[in-house]
Amino acid sequence: RHLYTCTQNSLSLIISVFVYISTFYQAVLQALEDGLKKADADPSVKAVMICGENGKFSAGADIRGFSSPKTLGVALGPIVSLIESSEKPVVAAIEGVALGGGLEVALGCHYRVAHAKARMGLPEVTIGLLPGAEGTQRLPRLIGVPAALDMITTGKHIPATEALKLGLVDEIVEENTIEAAIRLANKVIGQPLGPRRLSLKPVPKLPNMEAFLQEAQVKVKRQARGFLAPELCFQAVQAATQRPFAEGVRRERELFQVLLSSGQAQALQYAFFAERAVHRWATPAQPTAASTFTVAGQGLGTMGQGIVTSLVKANIPVVALEQNLEYLNKGRKAVMVLLEREAKKMEGGAQKLDFHNPARLQFTVDFNLLHDVDLVIEAVFENMALKKEIFHKLSNICKPGALLCTNTSALDIDEIASATSRPQQVIGTHFFSPAHVMRLLEIIYGRHTSPSAIATAMQLAKDMKKVGVVVGNCFGFVGNRMMFPYVEQAVFLLEEGSRPEAVDQVLEDFGFKIGPFRMSDLAGLDVGWRSRKGQGLTGPSLPAGSSARQRRGQRYSPLPDLLCERGRFGQKTGKGWYQYERAGGRTATPDPWIHGFLSQYRDTHRIETRYIDQEEILERCLFSLINEGFAILAEGIASGPEHLDVIYLNGYGWPKHRGGPMFYASTVGLPRVLAKLQKYSEAHPDVPKLRPSAFLKKLVAVGNAPLKEWMSYLSRQSPKL
């Protein structure tokens, strides 16, 4: 935001650009333009160096600015051209980050010096846009089409070492980057600048450019699943290979405007801000910093292994506990494999994680070693009696201030807490599998959970680099409670005439990475079966003479139970809703046996098979899930629609470019959602989850209220949210 002159080593002008180009965005651009023109006009200035302040080059534009008419692409592009056309060498001194518009400014410079710890990227695709300041045209000319496509269509950040290998920067330094840039500027004064102007360079040729582009387009399309930005990023880079620079820039701007006006950019920007909003909740409290903790992990099954791995990665000392040596050794071996794998991905590797150090990670079967831990995360089998037994034991062994967390996906936190002498210290921490990969952490407070316990759990999520969302206590909490009607509808659709692959295809075309039946096979059908047996919906505790397709006066489908009775548990057994190449196989193929089984089932229960179109599949699955979301909001289980959306975006594979289920409902229009639910509810009166929520009806009655106003129509709110 300011200019200052510097005569050191005959470099007499330095332009300093602040990191975050926010409300002062136009002022920064104006300062850049004025400074460059002043430098060009001043005969005493021999070179120009552009750097950032406070150790960061530039993180690009504040994304709130994209909704204004003067967008990044329109405003910054000419400035980048002005930098490049300077008659005096311009050197970028890159420290910290050069992202988005920041990297595009660096691409306009004739030379680039980066600090060894700097990171660079063009992440616009992640908010539904493309680099709009000529970046899609300059980057391929500098580093070639394959590398440029990879960076632009994924939005990934690359370290300075990789940038040097690609030719993105001219040198990297360990010491003062600004001094190094000044030295380079002095060295190149008087050298011809034509070869350094990227707009004049041809795109490096590939021997098979057309074939490469065709293959890359198919790959981008397949991975995008209806997400526009990666496809249009590809088209912009393709234009660089086919058109002169100026025409390519025009094409980039056209595509940028298409994305800017698309609902997808709006959805992604909503998701960006929603994730930041969930870190706030109503009850103020002081957390204990998780980095000062010793944490005990109780249970080393699949989920426990992932939780221990996440804690070690977060530099939190861990005591990992199992009930006997056999399970302990099995769990230890699995954790070590995961940690070795994670270490390979990190700079510094195993040495940085230091997981062979017993002060950092200790395995034991001795409950007494939990005397001094600050927090316990229990991750045993999803069984209430077992969890209560463990919490009773923990309550007697752990010190009074220790926080007791349960990793449960549905069980009642208050009932678990009742087994302890400290219910205020009990909280639910629902990790998502695999726990060392998935970012979501549902934090569930009980009736007695203290505000400081909530604050500490949120701090733990932050230290583990997870997205913590505070929710209330009910069966299934938020994520799984909304998932139940979605899966229920998917199974009912099979009863009525559809097939697993048809239902999955519709939901994958919508943007889910995996449909409900492939998801069920991956998770294991036996998990749900165990839960239903526990609820008395199937198995030995089901009263004799119960109707096969009715439970407690509501429609019920025994189809998943029947598959489990035949040992079809999904991928683990090689057969489930699909068949697999072997037990533990990953490739799902439609199973003729299932088709025959469904046909026989319909005949047995006299269900008339009918053709079910894609629209009905999509609406019944999604609108029943959304309807449950409205019920959750009305009950005060979550404090706003963005909390539900963040849970679905980070834990359930909801397509990010659709903003989350509640945001999606607001774009479809609540009157349409209500009308469709009424239609399906009338057709299936014995399915309560299709009956429109009273809150949804209210929002439609008041005139289709915008999403940000929904909660103002509710009088009830949880005191802890």
Side-chain angles (χ1 to χ4, degrees), residues 39 126 248 358 538 607 697:
T126 62
T538 190
I607 304 167
K697 288 179 178 175

Side-chain angles (χ1 to χ4, degrees), residues 253-272:
R253 287 188 183 159
E254 283 168 17
L255 295 168
F256 186 90
Q257 289 302 327
V258 169
L259 288 172
L260 194 65
S261 58
S262 79
Q264 293 194 2
Q266 190 191 354
L268 282 149
Q269 287 159 42
Y270 161 84
F272 179 88

Side-chain angles (χ1 to χ4, degrees), residues 29-311:
L29 293 181
Q30 195 59 58
L32 263 172
E33 186 177 358
D34 294 347
L36 287 159
K37 286 178 176 172
K38 186 178 170 186
D40 260 358
D42 185 344
S44 69
V45 174
K46 305 298 179 194
V48 178
M49 189 266 290
I50 302 181
C51 66
E53 190 151 284
N54 300 327
K56 293 190 177 87
F57 186 74
S58 172
D62 182 336
I63 70 169
R64 287 179 186 89
F66 289 126
S67 53
S68 68
K70 199 107 170 134
T71 64
L72 175 73
V74 176
L76 187 55
I79 304 293
V80 177
S81 292
L82 184 68
I83 294 169
E84 191 188 79
S85 62
S86 169
E87 293 303 321
K88 296 166 184 181
V90 183
V91 182
I94 301 170
E95 290 182 312
V97 292
L99 301 174
L103 183 56
E104 287 174 300
V105 165
L107 289 170
C109 298
H110 306 117
Y111 297 89
R112 287 158 293 280
V113 177
H115 190 273
K117 289 186 177 165
R119 298 185 75 78
M120 285 147 262
L122 294 171
E124 287 85 349
V125 69
T126 62
I127 51 163
L129 296 171
L130 55 75
E134 306 176 2
T136 65
Q137 304 306 296
R138 281 196 176 83
L139 191 63
R141 287 172 161 82
L142 180 61
I143 66 172
V145 174
L149 259 182
D150 183 40
M151 278 184 73
I152 293 169
T153 60
T154 65
K156 73 180 187 183
H157 301 180
I158 62 166
T161 47
E162 191 180 335
L164 183 67
K165 282 181 198 159
L166 290 172
L168 179 51
V169 296
D170 298 288
E171 61 178 270
I172 58 174
V173 292
E174 297 279 351
E175 81 271 22
N176 190 308
T177 318
I178 290 172
E179 285 179 11
I182 290 169
R183 281 198 301 274
L184 178 61
N186 274 305
K187 205 160 69 179
V188 299
I189 289 168
Q191 290 185 14
L193 292 173
R196 307 296 306 184
R197 293 187 173 114
L198 295 180
S199 65
L200 303 180
K201 278 174 74 87
V203 173
K205 284 191 166 35
L206 288 173
N208 54 344
M209 184 69 88
E210 278 311 304
F212 170 80
L213 286 172
Q214 277 176 9
E215 203 174 300
Q217 186 171 29
V218 169
K219 185 182 170 189
V220 167
K221 248 192 156 92
R222 185 176 64 244
Q223 289 175 343
R225 290 194 178 281
F227 177 18
L228 273 177
E231 295 189 43
L232 269 60
C233 283
F234 170 85
Q235 288 177 32
V237 173
Q238 185 180 36
T241 69
Q242 296 170 344
R243 307 180 184 202
F245 185 82
E247 277 185 42
V249 167
R250 274 197 295 278
R251 180 66 178 145
E252 177 190 85
R253 287 188 183 159
E254 283 168 17
L255 295 168
F256 186 90
Q257 289 302 327
V258 169
L259 288 172
L260 194 65
S261 58
S262 79
Q264 293 194 2
Q266 190 191 354
L268 282 149
Q269 287 159 42
Y270 161 84
F272 179 88
F273 291 114
E275 194 169 302
R276 278 138 193 84
V278 302
H279 294 306
R280 299 186 289 274
W281 69 101
T283 312
Q286 200 57 41
T288 307
S291 50
T292 66
F293 272 16
T294 301
V295 174
Q298 156 72 61
L300 285 174
T302 305
M303 194 60 90
Q305 293 158 18
I307 292 169
V308 169
T309 302
S310 294
L311 289 163

Side-chain angles (χ1 to χ4, degrees), residues 17 19 49 67 172 183 189 199 216 221 260 274 307 326 330 408 442 493 500 506 559 567 583 664 666 716:
V17 184
V19 180
M49 189 266 290
S67 53
I172 58 174
R183 281 198 301 274
I189 289 168
S199 65
K221 248 192 156 92
L260 194 65
I307 292 169
E326 184 194 342
K330 190 179 172 187
T408 173
E442 257 185 330
L493 287 160
V506 169
L559 279 173
Y664 174 69
S666 74
R716 174 176 175 161

Side-chain angles (χ1 to χ4, degrees), residues 263 266-267 270 641 645 658-668 707 710:
Q266 190 191 354
Y270 161 84
D645 288 337
R658 297 194 187 270
M662 307 320 281
F663 179 88
Y664 174 69
S666 74
T667 60
V668 168
L707 181 134
W710 287 0

Side-chain angles (χ1 to χ4, degrees), residues 630-672:
F630 282 111
I632 284 168
L633 293 176
E635 290 169 28
I637 296 293
S639 65
E642 56 284 308
H643 288 61
L644 276 53
D645 288 337
V646 167
I647 285 169
Y648 262 77
L649 290 166
N650 289 286
Y652 292 87
W654 184 279
K656 221 166 190 178
H657 62 276
R658 297 194 187 270
M662 307 320 281
F663 179 88
Y664 174 69
S666 74
T667 60
V668 168
L670 300 191
R672 178 181 164 84

